[in-house]
Amino acid sequence: MALYEHVFLARQDLAQAQVDALAESATKIVEAHNGKVVKTETWGLRSLAYRIAKNRKAHYVMLEIDAPGDTVAELERQSQINEDIIRYMTIKVDGHEAGPSVMMRKQERDRERRAERGERGGERPRRDREEELA
């Protein structure tokens, strides 16, 4: 069997539980067609580079799959039918990464940097009025 990474973007107005249900349904499709989902990662709600179907943000989910080609074809067909999925992409890979993906490591690194600076999520540090005028 071949190794694949399947990433899909779900609509921004979905709750996290609904996004998890989409990932679970994708897992069931793969397992029903003699495949196996090795790892599932939810990257969270992220901004899009451009508007897609009136959405400025989307929930990102990645599945690492070990399955034959016809399983991937069925997964893509079901993703295309589903109205909650606005984009998807499946690529064939030589091997799966051990541990968290690059996106998950980036989120952890950003979280650590904010903690070091004493920032909370998305806030810029406050400057004194004199620094702003200079």
Side-chain angles (χ1 to χ4, degrees), residues 10-11 14 22 55 78-86:
R11 289 191 346 237
L14 296 179
L22 285 173
N55 291 289
Q78 293 289 336
S79 296
Q80 193 170 10
I81 292 171
N82 194 331
E83 293 177 357
D84 292 333
I85 297 176
I86 56 176

Side-chain angles (χ1 to χ4, degrees), residues 103-119:
M103 291 298 289
M104 294 300 283
R105 288 192 303 254
K106 180 182 180 300
Q107 289 175 355
E108 286 295 320
R109 189 172 56 241
D110 291 345
R111 207 172 293 131
E112 289 172 4
R113 286 181 184 165
R114 280 194 301 268
E116 288 173 2
R117 292 186 302 210
E119 292 181 38

